[in-house]
Amino acid sequence: MGGGLSVLRGEETPDYSMEIQLKVELQVEDIIATAQAAGRAILQIYNSEASTWEVQMKSDASPLTRADREANAIICQALQNISPHIPIISEENKLTPHAVRQKFQYYWLVDPLDGTKEFLKRNGQFTVNIALMCGTAPVMGVVDVPCQGKTYWAVKGKGAWLRSAEGQRRIQAADFAFEDKGLKIVASSSHLNKETEEFIALFQSPELVQVGSSLKLLMVAEGAAHIYPRLAPTCEWDIAAADIIVREAGGAVLQAGTQDNKGNPLQDWKEELVKEAAVVYNKEDVLNPYFVVFGKRKAPISTGSS
């Protein structure tokens, strides 16, 4: 007689899952303001006595300073206020397990101070990188260059832009052909290895420029350089924000084969590069493959590889 509990067998158990869609309107101006606020905080420390920088070494032997930590705190707090339902992956936060983050539809990918080694050298070649990711690709990117008073940004389908004291203008990558003489190739000031030298040797009388951080991608995006080969280790947060800026400026960031965490190639970079596959993100291993950043190419890639 009583109203006892009804026990359902496995095959009778209803599916209680449900799909939820959240609509969030993001203003790129808010992300620009966030990057610039972090840049100002970094500059304040940069211009102080080096003895106050609180330099530490991380487990991977890369440096960490008070500027990295303070910029990260500013960015994470601002992004949480702007979009509390969008998760944040930052170089300076504990990495979310891939089993969790592979399910992210959107997420922020942040490097609060890209170029800490350049910061320590006091050469001004460091940036603040904030990218909004959708699946495996960036759809918004903001890169602040504190020492230059410049902020680069892009939104998918809306072009790439540069904001400075002179105002705001749209930027475009430079046109070139691979057989052109004197192409400007920008490279890392600390990773000019054998593979990079092999790549540079493919071109006729190239002009080599060496700078640090994501500035190299930005130089290609605004036409100040034609090509940037990176045949050495980087992580996803190092390039994602600048990647979308390059793409929207008419360039490309293409895979050139996987590598181990010491930068040793695991594939033939020439064979992989000619496949013209874009760099992808939210991988289980956040280490990027080798990659090459190109401006506006007039023809497919040719590396001489059969």
Side-chain angles (χ1 to χ4, degrees):
M1 292 277 310
L5 293 175
S6 175
V7 179
L8 297 176
R9 297 180 180 179
E11 65 271 20
E12 299 173 340
T13 303
D15 181 2
Y16 289 119
S17 65
M18 62 183 297
E19 181 178 334
I20 298 176
Q21 294 184 343
L22 300 175
K23 184 176 181 180
V24 179
E25 184 172 309
L26 299 173
Q27 299 294 328
V28 69
E29 288 295 337
D30 292 337
I31 312 307
I32 291 171
T34 298
Q36 291 176 338
R40 288 192 296 271
I42 290 170
L43 269 186
Q44 187 171 5
I45 297 170
Y46 181 73
N47 293 325
S48 67
E49 291 293 330
S51 59
T52 69
W53 290 358
E54 301 175 10
V55 182
Q56 302 173 2
M57 299 304 290
K58 296 191 287 187
S59 58
D60 62 358
S62 62
L64 176 71
T65 71
R66 182 162 61 94
D68 295 84
R69 293 190 293 272
E70 291 194 9
N72 189 57
I74 289 169
I75 293 169
C76 290
Q77 185 60 64
L79 294 181
Q80 287 170 359
N81 292 340
I82 292 166
S83 55
H85 302 301
I86 300 179
I88 302 168
I89 295 175
S90 169
E91 179 180 12
E92 306 311 336
N93 295 347
K94 184 177 179 181
L95 184 62
T96 305
H98 187 248
V100 175
R101 58 186 168 83
Q102 68 178 344
K103 301 175 184 177
F104 292 166
Q105 181 180 6
Y106 289 94
Y107 66 97
W108 297 106
L109 187 55
V110 175
D111 190 342
L113 201 174
D114 179 36
T116 303
K117 291 180 181 178
E118 313 305 325
F119 176 96
L120 294 173
K121 294 175 186 176
R122 261 194 169 131
N123 65 16
Q125 296 175 8
F126 53 85
T127 61
V128 177
N129 303 341
I130 304 175
L132 177 65
M133 312 298 292
C134 179
T136 61
V139 292
M140 178 196 296
V142 176
V143 180
D144 187 62
V145 189
C147 288
Q148 296 181 12
K150 295 179 178 179
T151 306
Y152 297 78
W153 64 273
V155 175
K156 185 177 180 180
K158 298 187 178 180
W161 302 81
L162 168 59
R163 183 174 300 183
S164 65
E166 288 73 42
Q168 182 165 278
R169 62 181 177 87
R170 191 164 186 168
I171 58 174
Q172 293 284 338
D175 294 310
F176 72 94
F178 286 99
E179 62 271 19
D180 291 347
K181 291 184 178 180
L183 291 177
K184 186 169 288 187
I185 299 178
V186 62
S188 170
S189 56
S190 55
H191 291 96
L192 202 60
N193 56 14
K194 176 176 70 71
E195 289 78 18
T196 305
E197 291 175 345
E198 288 176 353
F199 179 87
I200 294 171
L202 296 173
F203 301 90
Q204 299 185 58
S205 306
E207 179 185 348
L208 184 63
V209 180
Q210 293 180 271
V211 298
S213 75
S214 61
L215 286 169
K216 297 181 287 295
L217 290 95
L218 300 177
M219 289 180 67
V220 176
E222 65 178 326
H226 298 94
I227 306 170
Y228 162 38
R230 181 64 182 211
L231 310 181
T234 58
C235 288
E236 293 183 0
W237 42 70
D238 293 316
I239 68 168
D243 183 334
I244 182 66
I245 296 171
V246 170
R247 297 187 195 198
E248 287 297 310
V253 183
L254 304 179
Q255 299 183 45
T258 54
Q259 60 180 310
D260 64 22
N261 58 12
K262 294 183 179 179
N264 300 309
L266 301 177
Q267 296 174 296
D268 186 319
W269 67 264
K270 293 182 181 180
E271 293 182 0
E272 295 302 312
L273 183 59
V274 296
K275 296 177 182 177
E276 303 205 24
V279 169
V280 297
Y281 299 83
N282 206 6
K283 307 181 301 298
E284 183 172 3
D285 185 350
V286 295
L287 181 71
N288 289 322
Y290 281 179
F291 64 86
V292 180
V293 183
F294 292 104
K296 294 181 179 179
R297 298 164 291 140
K298 295 179 180 178
I301 297 167
S302 175
T303 65
S305 178
S306 57

